[in-house]
Amino acid sequence: MEPRSEDRPGVGLRTDVAHGARIYDYILGGKDNFAVDREAGENSLQLWPALRVHMQANRSFMHRVARFLAAECGIRQFFDIGTGLPTSPNLHEIAQSVDPTARVVYTDNDPLVLAHARALMLGTAVGRTAYVDADMRDPQAIISAPEFLETLDLKRPVGLLLIAVVHFIEDDAEALRVVRQILDVLPAGSYLAMSIATDEFDPIPLAEVQREYNRLGETLVFRDRPTALAFFDGLDLVEPGLVQVHKWRPDGSEAPGIADKDIAMYGAVARKA
């Protein structure tokens, strides 16, 4: 059996502070997490048993978005911020199954994610995948990174994905600035796809989940519908607009009978004119 993360040689990891990507990994059944992440995950599941269903629905949303952008919108370049730990199919696997020449840049700031990305996110022989080790709160560092500039052609449309990540930025204005600053360098015809945490459908247990994340050192911010919509200001929303992620263009791959109160994410895709 492969050892858990804390039993492997150190790679500069913070094992004393929970990390969103590793909590997500634990709840989805992964093994790349630490005791503090498992504690956060277990406590959160006790407080809100729907958390695993919610996270699975969010992952399914990413899959549908990737297929939509690649197969229906003709996008061949993708930029994924807040990548998380690899769980197949990853974004590049979906995009390159549509067109093997598709290019993908991943970004995250956790050393464990970085190690896995370099090992597993190799892509096809004719496509390209790259990884930028950076904090999304510093978008200039991301968009000036050689891996970004050498992989993506900014004269051609890009699919920008921020899936379940802006809730780690506490301030609304800062979160909006980060998204806008990256969008500004992308050409017309690019798309923004986001899922955004909300507590509007089951606020009482989600308040407890938020306190648990905060207690263990991780930020978790819920946003209402008007605040979530603000991320798409000036863009053309794709039908059905901003909805809970399990309601965005369902294709039959989602778990049946999902209750609205069990999903704490809005999702949408919009085009930059």
Side-chain angles (χ1 to χ4, degrees), residues 95-108:
Q96 291 173 354
S97 72
V98 175
D99 186 337
T101 68
R103 294 181 165 219
V104 179
V105 174
Y106 292 106
T107 300
D108 212 306

Side-chain angles (χ1 to χ4, degrees), residues 97-172:
S97 72
V98 175
D99 186 337
T101 68
R103 294 181 165 219
V104 179
V105 174
Y106 292 106
T107 300
D108 212 306
N109 69 333
D110 180 64
L112 190 58
V113 175
L114 174 62
H116 276 277
R118 286 176 172 163
L120 300 178
M121 294 180 177
L122 300 178
T124 64
V126 291
R128 185 167 178 181
T129 61
Y131 186 90
V132 177
D133 181 20
D135 192 319
M136 65 177 169
R137 295 172 183 83
D138 186 4
Q140 187 57 43
I142 298 172
I143 60 182
S144 62
E147 298 89 345
F148 175 83
L149 296 172
E150 292 168 5
T151 305
L152 302 182
D153 177 359
L154 296 181
K155 298 184 181 67
R156 299 169 52 221
V158 174
L160 171 61
L161 280 71
L162 292 105
I163 305 298
V165 68
V166 292
H167 57 260
F168 298 127
I169 301 179
E170 188 167 3
D171 182 71
D172 290 345

Side-chain angles (χ1 to χ4, degrees), residues 2-63:
E2 188 174 348
R4 286 189 182 274
S5 298
E6 67 263 38
D7 299 323
R8 302 176 192 145
V11 289
L13 297 170
R14 286 291 304 274
T15 65
D16 58 327
V17 177
H19 188 281
R22 300 192 306 259
I23 298 170
Y24 191 90
D25 173 75
Y26 173 71
I27 290 173
L28 291 181
K31 59 180 179 298
D32 294 297
N33 45 74
F34 299 103
V36 67
D37 307 307
R38 296 192 286 277
E39 181 184 354
E42 281 298 327
N43 290 346
S44 297
L45 283 165
Q46 290 292 320
L47 295 167
W48 192 48
L51 184 58
R52 183 169 284 117
V53 171
H54 156 82
M55 287 186 171
Q56 290 169 338
N58 182 70
R59 186 73 183 174
S60 179
F61 168 74
M62 186 278 284
H63 294 162

Side-chain angles (χ1 to χ4, degrees), residues 198-212:
T198 184
D199 61 354
E200 293 192 310
F201 299 92
D202 203 10
I204 294 174
L206 286 170
E208 295 296 325
V209 171
Q210 183 181 50
R211 280 190 281 273
E212 178 61 19

